[in-house]
């Protein structure tokens, strides 16, 4: 017997804009309300709200604090939403900062496009304090700081494993997803008695084996699984050891007294890198280089792992519970002000800077690159997926020139690619996750992946595990 429908308003055949509506006879729940990201055309789609009556929603569930899953959440109250928003307690801690920084970025992007305000926008993008803002018309933005405040008033943090009733005949339990601090799969129990069904939304899943984060929870079972497939057609090179590549890069930089710039995302890669650097320190392979984390969000992500050690591997959890700090070493410095961020540009005897964004398209990393990309005593780390056509993508292909704030610079910095730092499950990890279910899941709906990734995963799930898979189309209701 069907208990309702699922409708996908984003991430159906693509990797951003996660937004799924569960509609039952008595309740309406939205799972994730993310931004579309990538090209300017994708970003323009953010201004068009999904055709959902937000006033009729009982609740919104957020799986994690990445912008492609929560970035449009602060539009919900303006659209009429009056219910509660549920996420894990760790995500709750991170969400306000993520949404505020998104509001600031929207402002910066608007001013970048508007005549005569570009210097103000550049200052803001570089994390400076640019003075009073020029006018930012409401029609030009998705939301601003007051809407973030209204949104955060509706958020309720729920610990992993605790069941909470979120709508008539709907209860929710979060399960660790192993992706970033706070990331969870959302298990919804819908209906009562014999008609009760479990619908499991995987959210983004982490790799099965991580040096830092606990692997995704092995589910008891589910009648319907909505699974992400970002890396659904990729298989990681298991022999790639990021720590050894980092060790070699750091040894070279230390010997030549170089500056190393590690562009990274504040939630996910920044914590993975700091942990790897802590391990290198303990192995005597950091060679005394100072490490600067130039991102308050990344620092908050690190701190959240001490506060919520349940997201760490069992070995690291034991260390933290015994009072240890596996993401700390004496050379680690948190950069929390613009002045400190500027000061590290002038460092002379080598050092490592972690700064966002990982795509090198915004944030303080732009200023660090502008300061040093034309210097031979600088190394830039490259890692993970990069959007085609962007600066990081060009750098990976050996670009010899870079454009910063209208100025063309010669690229003289050395680049090193570090593999094995992905926060996403690859195809083998996803297969293992499905293999770990105590009861074979019923129907599998594959979203959050390009069509070739969804098809590749579906084919393997069908042949190896006999699972029936559906690739939902955008805005088409699927009976569940
Ligand atoms: Zn994510």
């Amino acid at each position: 017997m069907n208990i309702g429908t699922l409708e996908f308003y984003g991430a159906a055949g693509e990797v951003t804009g996660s937004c799924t509506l569960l509609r039952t006879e008595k309740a309406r729940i939205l799972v994730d309300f993310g931004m579309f990201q990538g090209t300017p055309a994708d970003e323009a789609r953010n201004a068009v709200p999904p055709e959902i009556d937000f006033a009729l929603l009982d609740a919104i569930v957020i799986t994690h604090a990445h912008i492609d899953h929560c970035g449009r959440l602060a539009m919900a109250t303006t659209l009429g939403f009056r219910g509660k928003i549920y996420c894990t307690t760790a995500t709750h801690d991170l969400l306000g900062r993520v949404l505020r920084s998104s509001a600031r970025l929207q402002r910066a992007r608007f001013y970048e496009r508007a005549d005569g305000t570009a210097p103000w926008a550049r200052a803001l993008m570089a994390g400076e304090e640019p003075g009073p803002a020029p006018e930012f018309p409401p029609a030009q933005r998705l939301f601003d700081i007051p809407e973030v405040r209204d949104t955060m008033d509706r958020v309720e943090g729920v610990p992993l494993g605790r069941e909470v009733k979120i709508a008539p005949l709907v209860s929710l339990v979060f399960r660790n997803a192993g992706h970033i601090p706070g990331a969870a799969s959302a298990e919804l129990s819908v209906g009562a008695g014999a008609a009760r069904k479990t619908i499991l939304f995987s959210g983004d899943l982490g790799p099965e084996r991580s040096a830092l984060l606990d692997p995704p929870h092995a589910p008891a079972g589910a009648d319907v699984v909505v699974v992400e497939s970002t890396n659904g057609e990729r298989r990681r090179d298991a022999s790639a050891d990021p720590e050894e590549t980092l060790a070699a890069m750091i040894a070279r930089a230390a010997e030549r007294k170089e500056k190393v710039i590690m562009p990274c995302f504040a939630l996910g890669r920044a914590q993975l890198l700091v942990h790897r650097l802590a391990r290198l320190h303990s192995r005597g392979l950091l060679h005394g280089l100072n490490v600067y984390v130039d991102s308050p969000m990344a620092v908050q992500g690190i701190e959240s792992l001490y506060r919520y050690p349940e997201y760490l591997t069992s070995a690291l959890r034991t260390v933290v519970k015994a009072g240890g700090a596996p993401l700390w070493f004496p050379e680690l410095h948190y950069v929390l002000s613009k002045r400190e961020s500027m000061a590290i540009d002038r460092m002379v005897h080598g050092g490592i800077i972690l700064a966002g964004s990982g795509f090198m398209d915004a944030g303080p990393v732009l200023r660090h690159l502008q300061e040093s990309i034309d210097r031979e005593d600088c190394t830039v780390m490259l890692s993970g997926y990069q959007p085609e056509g962007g600066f990081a993508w060009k750098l990976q292909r050996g670009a010899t020139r870079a454009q910063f704030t209208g100025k063309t610079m010669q690229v003289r910095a050395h680049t090193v690619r570090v593999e094995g730092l992905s926060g996403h499950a690859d195809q083998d990890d996803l297969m293992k996750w499905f293999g770990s279910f105590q009861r074979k899941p019923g129907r599998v709906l594959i979203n959050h992946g390009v069509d070739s990734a969804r098809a590749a995963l579906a084919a393997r799930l069908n042949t190896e595990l006999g699972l029936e898979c559906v690739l939902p189309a955008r805005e088409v209701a699927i009976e569940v």
Side-chain angles (χ1 to χ4, degrees):
M1 199 176 102
N2 290 331
I3 49 96
T5 58
L6 285 175
E7 290 155 39
F8 293 78
Y9 287 90
E14 57 187 324
V15 291
T16 61
S18 208
C19 180
T20 308
L21 177 68
L22 168 66
R23 207 192 285 254
T24 73
E25 205 180 303
K26 292 195 162 51
R28 290 175 191 203
I29 317 278
L30 194 66
V31 179
D32 284 340
F33 192 10
M35 274 192 191
F36 295 100
Q37 294 174 295
T39 64
D42 281 327
E43 280 162 30
R45 293 160 68 196
N46 290 321
V48 184
E51 282 186 38
I52 295 171
D53 190 340
F54 277 77
L56 295 181
L57 284 180
D58 295 275
I60 301 179
V61 175
I62 295 292
T63 59
H64 65 291
H66 274 160
I67 213 83
D68 60 328
H69 289 257
C70 70
R72 295 206 284 171
L73 184 60
M75 293 168 76
T77 51
T78 313
L79 294 168
F81 176 66
R82 296 291 175 266
K84 267 193 181 174
I85 297 162
Y86 296 91
C87 61
T88 63
T89 39
T91 297
H92 187 187
D93 284 4
L94 301 166
L95 199 55
R97 191 187 283 271
V98 168
L99 294 176
R100 281 194 300 276
S101 88
S102 168
R104 280 198 297 274
L105 191 64
Q106 288 169 47
R107 199 174 261 274
R109 292 246 157 100
F110 166 74
Y111 290 127
E112 219 178 24
R113 290 188 302 267
D115 286 346
T117 54
W120 190 90
R122 278 198 292 273
L124 191 76
M125 296 276 270
E128 296 168 15
E129 285 147 32
E135 200 210 342
F136 181 28
Q140 299 288 333
R141 63 196 186 214
L142 304 176
F143 56 83
D144 208 349
I145 302 297
E147 288 81 47
V148 174
R149 218 174 292 133
D150 289 350
T151 304
M152 293 311 295
D153 284 347
R154 298 187 170 275
V155 179
E156 184 174 321
V158 183
L160 289 177
R162 181 182 295 172
E163 186 166 0
V164 50
K165 191 169 178 289
I166 61 169
L169 296 179
V170 183
S171 62
L172 159 76
V173 182
F174 284 119
R175 310 285 188 192
N176 181 36
H179 172 55
I180 59 166
S185 301
E187 190 182 291
L188 297 184
S189 292
V190 184
R196 189 175 146 110
K197 275 194 177 178
T198 305
I199 304 178
L200 179 63
F201 294 84
S202 74
D204 283 355
L205 292 169
E208 203 237 346
R209 213 177 284 221
S210 159
L212 179 68
L213 298 174
D214 212 30
H217 173 83
D223 299 290
V224 178
V225 180
V226 178
V227 66
E228 68 118 339
S229 57
T230 313
N231 285 347
E233 60 186 328
R234 286 187 210 136
R235 297 172 86 167
R236 193 172 297 123
D237 174 7
S239 64
D241 185 343
E243 208 162 297
E244 296 318 310
T245 320
L246 286 169
M249 179 171 86
I250 289 165
R252 180 183 184 274
E255 196 191 318
R256 298 157 62 108
K257 299 198 184 328
E258 282 187 1
K259 179 193 287 185
V260 180
I261 300 175
M262 297 184 173
C264 57
F265 295 102
L267 293 177
R269 192 162 302 150
Q271 289 78 37
L272 293 176
L273 275 169
V274 168
H275 174 239
R276 294 287 185 177
L277 294 170
R279 281 166 48 135
L280 289 175
H281 165 81
S282 67
R283 292 169 61 194
L285 297 175
L286 203 54
H287 307 287
L289 287 186
N290 282 313
V291 175
Y292 300 92
V293 181
D294 188 4
S295 159
M297 186 80 241
V299 169
Q300 201 180 337
I302 294 169
E303 294 299 318
S304 79
L305 287 171
Y306 293 124
R307 194 153 176 216
Y308 303 100
E310 58 270 33
Y311 292 96
L312 292 167
T313 61
S314 57
L316 293 180
R317 208 178 309 147
T318 309
V319 173
V320 168
K321 285 185 174 165
L327 283 91
W328 183 85
F329 45 98
E331 294 86 351
L332 180 69
H333 306 279
Y334 292 166
V335 178
L336 299 171
S337 75
K338 165 76 202 324
R339 198 145 47 106
E340 291 170 284
S341 179
M342 304 258 305
I344 56 174
D345 281 333
R346 296 189 290 273
M347 72 165 112
V348 281
H349 296 301
I352 300 169
I353 302 170
L354 276 72
S357 90
F359 289 154
M360 306 187 207
D361 60 348
V365 77
L366 284 182
R367 204 191 59 249
H368 297 308
L369 288 168
Q370 189 176 354
E371 202 65 42
S372 303
I373 196 92
D374 60 348
R375 295 175 63 128
E376 278 164 9
D377 60 351
C378 174
T379 293
V380 179
M381 183 193 86
L382 299 167
S383 184
Y385 161 83
Q386 296 297 344
E388 199 171 323
F391 172 57
W393 182 84
K394 289 179 190 159
L395 205 56
Q396 269 179 11
R397 278 155 187 76
T400 53
R401 284 170 192 278
Q403 283 271 349
F404 288 103
T405 56
K407 199 169 92 182
T408 304
M409 293 177 75
Q410 198 74 34
V411 176
R412 295 196 184 88
H414 174 68
T415 57
V416 175
R417 188 160 173 83
V418 180
E419 304 290 352
L421 292 171
S422 176
H424 275 281
D426 72 353
Q427 193 188 68
D428 292 329
D429 293 326
L430 291 167
M431 292 302 294
K432 281 185 192 143
W433 186 66
F434 276 102
S436 75
F437 278 59
Q438 289 163 34
R439 272 184 297 112
K440 185 176 155 178
R443 237 160 19 127
V444 177
L445 275 53
I446 305 179
N447 78 336
H448 208 281
V450 294
D451 282 339
S452 54
R454 298 202 292 172
L457 181 63
R460 225 180 135 193
L461 284 169
N462 190 264
T463 28
E464 291 180 32
L465 298 176
L467 293 171
E468 186 206 334
C469 298
V470 178
L471 313 186
R474 204 174 141 88
E475 293 176 33
V476 175
I478 295 177
E479 301 270 344
V480 290

